[in-house]
Amino acid sequence: MDEVDASVAHSARIWNYWLGGKDWFPVDRRVGDQIAEMFPDIVRLARADRAFLGRAVRYLAGEAGIRQFLDIGTGLPTANNTHQVAQGVAPESRIVYVDNDPLVLVHARSLLTGTAEGAIDYIEADLSDPDRIVREASKTLDFTQPVAVMLLGVLHHIPDDDMARAIVDRLVDALAPGGYLTIAHSTNQVTGAAMDEAVRHWNQFGKPSMTLRTTEAITGFFDRLELLEPGVVSTTRWRPDPADAEAGPIRETDEFCGVGRKPA
Ligand SMILES: C[S@@+](CC[C@H](N)C(=O)[O-])C[C@H]1O[C@@H](n2cnc3c(N)ncnc32)[C@H](O)[C@@H]1O
């Protein structure tokens, strides 16, 4: 296992800081505050991403009847992690978490307490090795049956477009018909230069680097899938809860998302 590096801001920890958690180091708060100064929307973006995770997993475990989840780029445990949402709908749900940050591994135990009927596993692995992820996840998940792959806030940490595409293709190959792919990915479609500047700062002081992609590029990841309505949109616009709509006009945020289904 790699050492936890407390001298450089890391994605999982800064995300935890913006989400109001406690699992970060002073360097994460410093860089997190600098980014929030340049890009005040970041805390809303992080919270909107988690709210999207909740709605997407509720849809997948509920209406779509999915019982197996592969959540890559899990992040540090927070409220309403994938297993809590999925097993809240269907207690027999099986979940495999994957992250490459050693601090997430340290905290993984709190991800592993689910229902007696279901199963949860954690793999320390890198998204750039999807073969290993699928091989290890197969110990807990049955890939002959539908699995929902969750790539929330992680694909933008793969800078090379061809490599990102190859990773998604390999994961889609592993899915049985009726399996799902869910992506949330940072963009600059809404806030433009402010987001560009925040990402430049992140790439100078944080790890791993971030690459923004357009709505079209994110939509391209779903080429081999049936993209569910409403397509690739700001997380706040993906099937908002009625209460969100009642709270006033929906504000977009620069994290775009989509859910696709592998056809028969
Ligand atoms: C912004 S957080 C998102 C956490 C969670 N998925 C969410 O949406 O709230 C990104 C996570 O991806 C992990 N990560 C970044 N690059 C990765 C890679 N190449 N392989 C596996 N995990 C990675 C980070 O350690 C971090 O926990």
Side-chain angles (χ1 to χ4, degrees):
M1 165 180 141
D2 289 337
E3 294 285 308
V4 172
D5 182 355
S7 68
V8 177
H10 271 246
S11 167
R13 300 183 327 229
I14 205 161
W15 195 245
N16 181 266
Y17 174 64
W18 287 327
L19 287 173
K22 292 191 289 296
D23 302 316
W24 39 267
F25 296 128
V27 67
D28 302 302
R29 183 176 54 192
R30 191 163 63 245
V31 176
D33 286 345
Q34 286 163 353
I35 291 179
E37 217 164 280
M38 294 171 199
F39 185 69
D41 206 39
I42 190 66
V43 171
R44 193 173 70 86
L45 180 155
R47 293 180 183 175
D49 168 271
R50 296 298 299 186
F52 163 68
L53 181 150
R55 296 195 305 280
V57 174
R58 265 197 304 282
Y59 166 78
L60 291 164
E63 220 172 300
I66 292 290
R67 296 292 175 265
Q68 308 191 96
F69 294 82
L70 176 56
D71 181 342
I72 308 175
T74 305
L76 286 156
T78 172
N80 297 325
N81 302 291
T82 296
H83 73 281
Q84 286 146 336
V85 181
Q87 294 185 340
V89 177
E92 70 274 30
S93 298
R94 305 174 78 80
I95 294 95
V96 173
Y97 288 116
V98 181
D99 206 288
N100 69 350
D101 188 315
L103 193 66
V104 179
L105 177 66
V106 170
H107 288 270
R109 202 173 314 129
S110 65
L111 289 169
L112 300 179
T113 46
T115 58
E117 305 92 307
I120 308 173
D121 197 8
Y122 180 86
I123 304 169
E124 189 182 36
D126 199 290
L127 178 60
S128 61
D129 191 357
D131 285 333
R132 185 178 153 228
I133 291 176
V134 170
R135 199 169 54 244
E136 302 243 337
S138 302
K139 294 173 189 162
T140 305
L141 306 178
D142 175 2
F143 280 90
T144 69
Q145 299 300 313
V147 171
V149 172
M150 314 296 293
L151 295 176
L152 304 195
V154 66
L155 212 45
H156 50 227
H157 290 307
I158 303 288
D160 184 86
D161 289 341
D162 292 340
M163 187 172 176
R165 184 55 208 237
I167 289 168
V168 169
D169 274 345
R170 174 64 188 100
L171 294 168
V172 170
D173 285 344
L175 293 179
Y180 285 83
L181 173 69
T182 302
I183 293 175
H185 193 301
S186 295
T187 72
N188 62 1
Q189 308 277 118
V190 180
T191 52
M195 184 64 165
D196 289 337
E197 194 193 349
V199 169
R200 251 195 313 278
H201 192 80
W202 171 256
N203 286 344
Q204 196 177 351
F205 296 103
K207 277 188 180 169
S209 74
M210 272 189 73
T211 299
L212 301 177
R213 294 192 169 92
T214 60
T215 313
E216 293 70 34
I218 300 167
T219 306
F221 290 124
F222 294 96
D223 269 359
R224 297 168 56 203
L225 304 167
E226 296 161 354
L227 185 57
L228 304 192
E229 286 300 325
V232 171
V233 292
S234 169
T235 48
T236 50
R237 288 206 181 281
W238 198 90
R239 304 187 180 196
D241 288 331
D244 300 332
E246 278 163 25
I250 289 180
R251 280 171 62 206
E252 296 200 321
T253 184
D254 254 328
E255 190 79 1
F256 275 43
C257 65
V259 180
R261 181 177 189 272
K262 186 163 175 173

